[in-house]
């Protein structure tokens, strides 16, 4: 019997709703969630493929043995040599539990958010669609299509679109009135006279921390879009580190615990320098491929939780399927035991 259940897409910080299709209790596909206020039945390719992690989750790993091996490694080194890496892929309760675990053991705690930072007063998606001018940093139409949809709505409402991309093949360039491949600072300086209260800046990358300060100081609203579903929520719990800070910390790490992230795909670091890498992950990624110990965890489809999307809304979701897999919080309990 076919059944459809509602949940959230975990693919970025936009916070789209998706429907998951089950056949006799087994997940078989996704279907547009037409009544969800963020995406109104539209899902990008990442959203449609978001169930792949569940379909390809780890099944053959002995969790008890993996946890026992992890405990041995943690007991073999000084606390100052251990780094715990949490992620915007973790839900709010998980991030709090990871932080408490790291602090209770005097481990280093790390969180990386695309070299972006939290903005207290961010633009809503409706404000993007209703802006008179939209300044786009990054290929939002390709990388974050459901925010890109709001930029298209702004264009349809006669807004002028200024786009900055890393290449001349940016999809966003197709709707832009003016395009640039300059640095972020040059882009902002060149458009300083155009940016006013009717403007919104939407971005998913910057070149430096100074760019963030410059954006925050402008006379308009801004919307940073993160690559992880709960990065904005994580900012309320842990402090984000820059790429440089991450490199320095990893240089001084002997045992690295990675909670539900693919750090090897994000940070250009020689991970062979680290004696032991322990990954807590639901399915294979580039980090699990180089890990010494893998501890399987539940996918978001198998648990209840909440994410904070890019515009600051807390969105709750419920388990779509039952699972015997352990949650990150349950595994932390074992590591504390």
């Amino acid at each position: 019997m076919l059944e459809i259940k509602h949940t959230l897409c975990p693919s970025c910080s936009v916070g789209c709703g998706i429907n998951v299709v089950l056949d006799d209790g087994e997940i078989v596909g996704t279907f547009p969630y037409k009544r969800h206020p963020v995406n109104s039945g539209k899902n990008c390719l990442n959203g449609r493929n978001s169930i792949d992690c569940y379909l390809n989750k780890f099944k053959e790993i002995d969790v008890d043995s993996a946890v026992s091996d992890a405990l041995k490694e943690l007991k073999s080194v000084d606390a100052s040599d251990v780094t715990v890496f949490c992620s915007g892929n973790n839900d709010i309760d998980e991030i709090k539990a990871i932080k408490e675990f790291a602090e209770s053991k005097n481990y280093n705690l790390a969180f990386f958010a695309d070299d972006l930072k939290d903005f207290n007063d961010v633009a809503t998606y409706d404000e993007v669609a209703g802006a008179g001018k939209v300044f786009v940093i990054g290929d939002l139409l390709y990388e974050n299509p459901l925010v890109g949809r709001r930029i298209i709505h702004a264009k349809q409402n006669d807004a002028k679109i200024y786009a900055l991309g890393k290449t001349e093949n940016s999809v966003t360039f197709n709707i832009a009135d003016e395009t640039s491949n300059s640095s972020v600072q040059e882009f902002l300086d060149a458009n300083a006279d155009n940016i006013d209260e009717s403007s919104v800046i939407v971005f998913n990358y910057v070149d430096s921390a100074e760019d963030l300060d410059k954006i925050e100081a402008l006379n308009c609203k801004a919307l940073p879009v993160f690559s992880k579903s709960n990065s904005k929520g994580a900012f309320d719990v842990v402090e984000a580190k820059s790429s440089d800070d991450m490199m320095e910390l990893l240089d001084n790490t002997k045992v690295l615990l990675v909670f539900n992230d693919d750090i090897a795909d994000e940070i250009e670091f020689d991970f062979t320098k680290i004696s032991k890498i322990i990954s807590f992950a639901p399915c294979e990624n580039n980090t699990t491929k180089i890990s010494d110990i893998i501890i399987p965890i539940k996918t978001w489809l198998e648990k209840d939780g909440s994410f904070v999307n890019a515009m600051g809304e807390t969105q709750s979701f419920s388990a779509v399927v039952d699972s015997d897999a352990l949650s990150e919080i349950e595994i932390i309990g074992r590591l504390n035991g």
Side-chain angles (χ1 to χ4, degrees), residues 29-101:
T30 61
F31 190 77
Y33 189 171
K34 296 185 181 299
R35 290 177 293 178
H36 195 275
V38 170
N39 55 306
S40 303
K42 308 291 191 298
N43 288 121
C44 72
L45 183 61
N46 288 333
R48 294 193 293 274
N49 292 339
S50 61
I51 62 170
D52 287 353
C53 186
Y54 173 82
L55 298 176
N56 297 294
K57 65 181 182 176
F58 293 118
K59 297 177 182 177
E60 305 300 326
I61 296 175
D62 186 327
V63 176
D64 292 337
S65 295
V67 171
S68 178
D69 290 342
L71 282 169
K72 289 177 184 176
E73 295 298 337
L74 291 171
K75 291 175 181 177
S76 70
V77 294
D78 293 335
S80 60
D81 294 325
V82 178
T83 294
V84 177
F85 186 83
C86 72
S87 165
N89 291 327
N90 307 125
D91 69 36
I92 292 172
D93 288 338
E94 288 166 348
I95 292 170
K96 291 178 180 177
I98 293 166
K99 179 184 180 184
E100 183 178 342
F101 167 67

Side-chain angles (χ1 to χ4, degrees), residues 117 132 147 269 279:
K117 73 175 184 179
V147 167
F269 178 79
S279 281

